[in-house]
Amino acid sequence: MILDTNYLILPPIVKTMLIKATRVNKLHFGHEPLKQNCRFTANSSKNMNIHEYQGKAILKSFGVRVQEGIVADNPEEAVAAAQKMKEDFGSDWVVIKAQIHAGGRGKGGGVKLAKNHDQVKEIAGNIIGMQLVTPQTGPEGKKVKKVLVAQDVYYPGESETKEFYMSVLLDRARGRNIIMYSTEGGMDIEEVAHSTPELIFKEEIDPKVGLQPFQARKIAFNLGVSGDAFKDMVKFITALYKAYDATDSSQFEINPVLKTSDNKILAVDAKVNLDDNALYRHPDYAAMRDTDEEDPTEVEAGKSNLNYVKLDGNVGCMVNGAGLAMATMDIIKLAGGEPANFLDVGGTANAQTVKAGFNIILSDPNVKAILINIFGGIVRCDRVAQGVIDAYKEIGNIPVPIIVRLQGTNAAEAKELIDNSGLKVFSAILLKEAAERVKEVLAL
């Protein structure tokens, strides 16, 4: 997320939602990605993250020069990859990069420079299988299952190397794509954005006409490159935008973009977020999904077509509609609780979706109560109520109290069904009633 004052004034729960929804990778040697402005990311769609090596493969297919590398699943494959790197680029030096969906890999010990094949084997052996803990994984960390053996691109030459920052993303408020860039690429980019925002530039692009040549030249000029590096930067920017547009991505972030000592421009790292809503048009990209890198409960929710984001509270939420879900979380906070999740069951809630939602919410040991808040527009409230009853009976004993607030078509009939079910379920019609019920059960 791009950090600015708009983000700072958001309510805490919205900040939490945005932070949870943004799977940010810190790139090359722990470089920090620039946070996105909330207006760029606050939307109902979800993004599919992919690994660095996969992002680079996509970029390369559109003509973006990248730091080359080979993926290895074990130390022996890493050595073979390093040998191939030497054949192709004439150097024993390679960078061993852990491939996980989290940033801060370098600071956590997941990115190392190897100067010979013995070091490659040793470093790869240490990284593969390790539980890599970074600021973004939490204290439990993530298990590393593969590494990228990448070429050394910081070789000496006729000029100094220089790192830049560049990303392409959508400004939903203006309906324009944005290229954000800075001369200060690298691990301190967020500090740059905070302390010296004048060093962060934005180029707005009308999607009807696309990136114009003068805009690519303007960006290259502002980055201060000249000669062959200027020409190569223009080509890089043009190809990067083409890749972003053609892949229906929600974000491309390159940190750093490197000017090598021989004035070539390339992507040392790549963070690519693909829009879930467009994956049906890109089955080859959908196949890149690595469910081992995702929250298991979110994967399970996806199988049932539920939109789920895990949070850190004690009241589970099951709601139909993203706007109602946000209002429900506000009510929970006003009642003295903390939302344990965002769970949108959509407009066709039935016994099966309710059962799946129960199972997902109850997998969180922190949940002390469940609030079901359904507006009966497309779906009738009495059908939802019957679904809750059927799901409750099918699951058996549910160890936490359940508050069900149903409003809309047949709301009165639904309340009667809940009240006469004999189950440990509390009904409510008004949102205020539901909040009071939540407060009561949390006080027990």
Side-chain angles (χ1 to χ4, degrees):
M1 300 178 353
I2 296 169
L3 185 63
D4 74 353
T5 53
N6 291 336
Y7 174 78
L8 296 177
I9 62 174
L10 288 174
I13 183 61
V14 180
K15 292 182 184 178
T16 304
M17 287 292 298
L18 292 173
I19 291 168
K20 288 283 185 178
T22 305
R23 319 276 185 189
V24 183
N25 289 329
K26 294 177 191 172
L27 303 174
H28 182 66
F29 289 96
H31 288 170
E32 290 273 8
L34 196 60
K35 287 186 175 180
Q36 293 176 19
N37 185 315
C38 60
R39 69 179 181 178
F40 297 154
T41 56
N43 61 85
S44 59
S45 64
K46 292 184 68 178
N47 300 325
M48 186 186 88
N49 285 347
I50 57 178
H51 288 291
E52 172 195 349
Y53 74 91
Q54 295 168 321
K56 284 181 174 177
I58 292 175
L59 289 171
K60 191 176 178 181
S61 71
F62 286 91
V64 179
R65 183 185 283 120
V66 300
Q67 177 194 39
E68 298 289 349
I70 300 173
V71 178
D73 295 322
N74 55 61
E76 290 72 28
E77 289 184 6
V79 171
Q83 291 171 340
K84 176 63 175 172
M85 288 289 103
K86 183 176 182 180
E87 292 173 11
D88 292 345
F89 304 105
S91 174
D92 285 318
W93 288 27
V94 292
V95 181
I96 312 297
K97 296 177 162 185
Q99 297 296 285
I100 61 169
H101 289 178
R105 295 173 298 168
K107 293 178 180 178
V111 179
K112 299 284 186 180
L113 176 67
K115 298 182 179 181
N116 56 58
H117 293 167
D118 289 338
Q119 288 187 4
V120 169
K121 186 173 184 178
E122 179 185 355
I123 292 171
N126 290 336
I127 292 178
I128 296 173
M130 76 181 294
Q131 202 71 16
L132 182 56
V133 178
T134 80
Q136 293 181 20
T137 63
E140 70 280 1
K142 284 191 173 184
K143 187 174 183 179
V144 180
K145 297 185 176 180
K146 60 187 73 175
V147 295
L148 179 65
V149 181
Q151 74 175 120
D152 171 34
V153 290
Y154 290 82
Y155 45 81
E158 61 193 59
S159 65
E160 293 293 324
T161 59
K162 172 64 178 173
E163 293 181 338
F164 306 98
Y165 171 88
M166 192 172 297
S167 65
V168 190
L169 62 162
L170 174 63
D171 183 340
R172 293 180 180 273
R174 295 184 59 81
R176 295 288 188 271
N177 291 321
I178 300 290
I179 295 181
M180 299 192 65
Y181 60 101
S182 176
T183 57
E184 308 303 308
M187 62 168 36
D188 296 323
I189 187 63
E190 284 202 340
E191 180 59 31
V192 171
H194 178 71
S195 303
T196 53
E198 67 274 10
L199 297 178
I200 307 296
F201 300 92
K202 299 178 183 178
E203 185 66 24
E204 185 177 290
I205 300 158
D206 186 338
K208 294 193 295 291
V209 297
L211 177 69
Q212 297 298 294
F214 80 89
Q215 293 178 297
R217 293 194 296 270
K218 174 186 174 183
I219 294 170
F221 178 81
N222 285 342
L223 290 174
V225 291
S226 59
D228 291 340
F230 180 91
K231 296 176 184 177
D232 213 36
M233 181 64 83
V234 172
K235 291 179 183 177
F236 181 93
I237 295 164
T238 303
L240 178 64
Y241 184 82
K242 181 180 178 182
Y244 165 82
D245 187 51
T247 57
D248 295 311
S249 293
S250 57
Q251 180 184 12
F252 269 33
E253 183 178 56
I254 315 298
N255 186 31
V257 174
L258 179 70
K259 182 195 80 66
T260 64
S261 60
D262 52 357
N263 293 313
K264 295 176 181 176
I265 304 298
L266 56 82
V268 173
D269 220 318
K271 172 181 170 54
V272 175
N273 290 343
L274 302 169
D275 189 336
D276 276 5
N277 293 326
L279 286 178
Y280 73 95
R281 298 199 291 203
H282 305 283
D284 50 339
Y285 299 156
M288 293 180 175
R289 184 180 182 189
D290 185 353
T291 55
D292 288 342
E293 291 292 319
E294 300 177 22
D295 187 306
T297 53
E298 293 186 19
V299 174
E300 190 63 32
K303 293 177 182 177
S304 301
N305 294 318
L306 303 174
N307 295 316
Y308 175 85
V309 178
K310 188 180 185 307
L311 301 174
D312 301 321
N314 57 358
V315 181
C317 307
M318 191 185 307
V319 190
N320 65 335
L324 186 59
M326 298 296 280
T328 302
M329 290 189 286
D330 285 342
I331 282 292
I332 289 171
K333 292 202 49 98
L334 289 172
E338 292 288 340
N341 63 272
F342 171 98
L343 177 59
D344 178 6
V345 298
T348 57
N350 54 42
Q352 290 307 309
T353 55
V354 171
K355 179 185 175 184
F358 274 147
N359 287 330
I360 289 165
I361 292 173
L362 291 171
S363 67
D364 183 352
N366 296 321
V367 170
K368 305 303 180 188
I370 298 175
L371 172 57
I372 300 175
N373 191 7
I374 301 291
F375 175 74
I378 299 174
V379 60
R380 285 173 19 203
C381 291
D382 56 327
R383 286 190 177 181
V384 177
Q386 191 60 54
V388 170
I389 295 167
D390 293 345
Y392 194 115
K393 290 178 178 177
E394 190 173 343
I395 293 173
N397 180 45
I398 295 180
V400 299
I402 299 172
I403 301 97
V404 180
R405 183 255 179 178
L406 299 169
Q407 187 61 273
T409 306
N410 291 352
E413 291 86 343
K415 186 177 189 305
E416 185 178 351
L417 281 171
I418 295 295
D419 291 343
N420 296 333
S421 67
L423 303 176
K424 192 179 178 181
V425 178
F426 304 95
S427 66
I429 293 180
L430 299 177
L431 204 53
K432 183 180 178 181
E433 274 185 81
E436 291 170 351
R437 289 287 194 181
V438 169
K439 191 172 185 178
E440 288 171 9
V441 298
L442 289 178
L444 296 177

